[in-house]
Amino acid sequence: MKIPATVITGFLGAGKTTLIRHLLENANGKKIALVINEFGDLGVDREMVKGCGIAGCEDEDGNDNVIELANGCICCTVADEFLPTMEALLERDNLPDHIVIETSGLALPKPLVKAFNWPEIKTRVTVDGVVTVIDTHAVDMGRFADDEATIQKVRESDESLDHDNPLEELFEDQLQCADMVLLNKTDLVEATRLTEIKSDLQARVRDHVKFIETDHGQVDPAILLGLDAAAEDDLHHRHSHHEHDDHDDDDDHDHHHDHSHDEFESFSVSLGPIADPVDLENKLLALVDAHDILRIKGFLDVPGKPMRHVVQGVGPRFQRYFDRPWANDEPRTSQLVIIGKHGLDKAAIEKALAS
């Protein structure tokens, strides 16, 4: 029997990591191996998953069940990073019951699904389903539209959207590949708007795609896992903006598409102890507004506090919380990853954070 694998995709800050934490905390004995693709040079998402003290991050053989692929997008490094990781996972004596793969917020899911047709893993693993997580509140604000006026009105049909916008194309690709769409952060959206948004998104996806409404990623694993989609055998129905030919050879090892991360960049910033996280958040809000930063995430050392402080920001919306105690042998540092469109003024951002 093949091991099922679930691909969790979604735009920056949609809530993928929160969803996975909830999934692992409620696995009920199921052995889940997690592969995380981190965009940026800090293993922030991996640490956020493990920081909550979830039991089972290591199996009984001492293998780490949370595996990180750093500095890149899975869809662009399938041969170099993802496939060797999968092969190593399948060589373990104690195999997982389920594999969960979290893509970065900039990843295209279809090339990753295509990789499951490689002979090295096709006979042993199947894509149980592709789950796309949507930041419903961001959609409500027109976050992916270029025309500023769209922020103030009901999101309209595809004809009103500028598909030259790489953010919009990524959003569309992640929807087109989905077997299930999670409308996350629904607690921030009025009921009438939620109905409108759901109707709009349902018009963009393939037939029979399931929609689930949630907030804070609170979804029963029994709903999320066990879709039996065999997505790797259904590639021709999962259209993409970023392929020259959606009907190319699924077994082609020379995976090519015109997707590029030249539109985006990220860098990390090391800070000293942060005595006032509220003051830092205000600085970050000003920087988001001044530099059109898409995403900020990282950890803070707050003097006098025994626990690490997490910072996550998507556009102007920030979330902060203490996640776990600092380990005795762990250096207490404050580090942030900044993600935005190409051309970020790194020097100006670093100068503002140092002031």
Side-chain angles (χ1 to χ4, degrees), residues 19-65:
L19 170 69
I20 288 171
R21 282 178 57 158
H22 177 77
L23 171 65
L24 297 181
E25 288 169 345
N26 295 276
N28 295 321
K30 185 187 290 287
K31 293 183 296 183
I32 297 177
L34 173 61
V35 178
I36 297 176
N37 185 215
E38 174 77 4
F39 188 82
D41 52 7
L42 265 181
V44 172
D45 286 349
R46 182 181 191 275
E47 285 299 312
M48 286 180 178
V49 170
K50 300 192 74 171
C52 60
I54 299 170
C57 282
E58 291 187 353
D59 64 25
E60 52 263 40
D61 297 325
N63 294 312
D64 194 343
N65 283 333

Side-chain angles (χ1 to χ4, degrees), residues 135-149:
D135 183 339
T136 315
H137 187 222
V139 174
D140 186 26
M141 296 190 302
R143 178 64 185 168
F144 306 109
D146 281 335
D147 184 356
E148 196 169 331

Side-chain angles (χ1 to χ4, degrees), residues 341-354:
K341 292 185 179 180
H342 183 71
L344 282 174
D345 192 338
K346 179 180 177 182
I349 293 171
E350 290 179 335
K351 182 179 179 179
L353 288 174

Side-chain angles (χ1 to χ4, degrees), residues 4-307:
T6 296
V7 176
I8 298 181
T9 187
F11 203 73
L12 294 164
K16 300 185 297 297
T17 303
T18 302
L19 170 69
I20 288 171
R21 282 178 57 158
H22 177 77
L23 171 65
L24 297 181
E25 288 169 345
N26 295 276
N28 295 321
K30 185 187 290 287
K31 293 183 296 183
I32 297 177
L34 173 61
V35 178
I36 297 176
N37 185 215
E38 174 77 4
F39 188 82
D41 52 7
L42 265 181
V44 172
D45 286 349
R46 182 181 191 275
E47 285 299 312
M48 286 180 178
V49 170
K50 300 192 74 171
C52 60
I54 299 170
C57 282
E58 291 187 353
D59 64 25
E60 52 263 40
D61 297 325
N63 294 312
D64 194 343
N65 283 333
V66 181
I67 303 166
E68 178 190 17
L69 303 178
N71 286 317
C73 163
I74 287 178
C75 70
C76 298
T77 58
V78 168
D80 294 337
E81 296 187 45
F82 176 67
L83 288 171
T85 296
M86 290 295 294
E87 288 182 299
L89 190 59
L90 294 173
E91 289 172 1
R92 292 183 177 182
D93 293 332
N94 187 25
L95 293 174
D97 299 318
H98 204 108
I99 301 170
V100 173
I101 302 161
E102 179 194 1
T103 71
S104 84
L106 304 179
L108 298 172
K110 184 173 179 178
L112 174 60
V113 174
K114 183 184 295 186
F116 283 85
N117 280 310
W118 284 38
E120 294 88 338
I121 59 176
K122 183 175 177 60
T123 60
R124 304 189 64 186
V125 184
T126 182
V127 182
D128 181 69
V130 178
V131 177
T132 297
V133 185
I134 301 295
D135 183 339
T136 315
H137 187 222
V139 174
D140 186 26
M141 296 190 302
R143 178 64 185 168
F144 306 109
D146 281 335
D147 184 356
E148 196 169 331
T150 61
I151 298 175
Q152 306 300 327
K153 67 181 183 179
V154 176
R155 191 173 181 87
E156 297 180 3
S157 62
D158 285 10
E159 285 77 12
S160 71
L161 299 174
D162 182 358
H163 290 282
D164 289 332
N165 184 335
L167 304 184
E168 182 63 34
E169 290 184 0
L170 286 168
F171 185 69
E172 295 278 354
D173 278 25
Q174 290 168 353
L175 279 173
Q176 280 291 315
C177 201
D179 298 292
M180 175 180 286
V181 175
L182 295 188
L183 297 176
N184 198 28
K185 306 183 184 180
T186 54
D187 55 317
L188 302 176
V189 180
E190 293 183 357
T192 301
R193 283 291 297 127
L194 180 58
T195 300
E196 294 169 345
I197 290 168
K198 183 176 180 180
S199 177
D200 175 54
L201 295 180
Q202 285 176 324
R204 306 184 189 201
V205 301
R206 297 172 297 113
D207 292 338
H208 310 301
V209 173
K210 302 175 179 67
F211 276 71
I212 303 293
E213 298 174 16
T214 183
D215 58 86
H216 297 94
Q218 304 293 302
V219 180
D220 188 334
I223 296 174
L224 196 68
L225 308 181
L227 300 181
D228 296 323
E232 71 275 16
D233 295 328
D234 186 35
L235 286 165
H236 63 286
H237 287 132
R238 300 168 192 259
H239 302 299
S240 170
H241 288 283
H242 296 89
E243 289 183 304
H244 296 297
D245 183 1
D246 274 339
H247 302 280
D248 56 357
D249 184 1
D250 290 340
D251 292 323
D252 183 4
H253 284 218
D254 296 323
H255 138 91
H256 292 296
H257 55 77
D258 58 10
H259 169 53
S260 170
H261 290 319
D262 290 343
E263 295 289 343
F264 309 98
E265 64 179 279
S266 73
F267 62 90
S268 63
V269 180
S270 295
L271 306 172
I274 304 298
D276 188 350
V278 175
D279 180 62
L280 176 64
E281 182 177 329
N282 289 334
K283 288 182 180 180
L284 294 175
L285 284 167
L287 287 170
V288 167
D289 184 57
H291 297 274
D292 195 25
I293 295 170
L294 296 172
R295 184 84 160 95
I296 296 175
K297 52 186 176 180
F299 309 105
L300 305 179
D301 168 24
V302 181
K305 300 293 185 180
M307 300 185 75

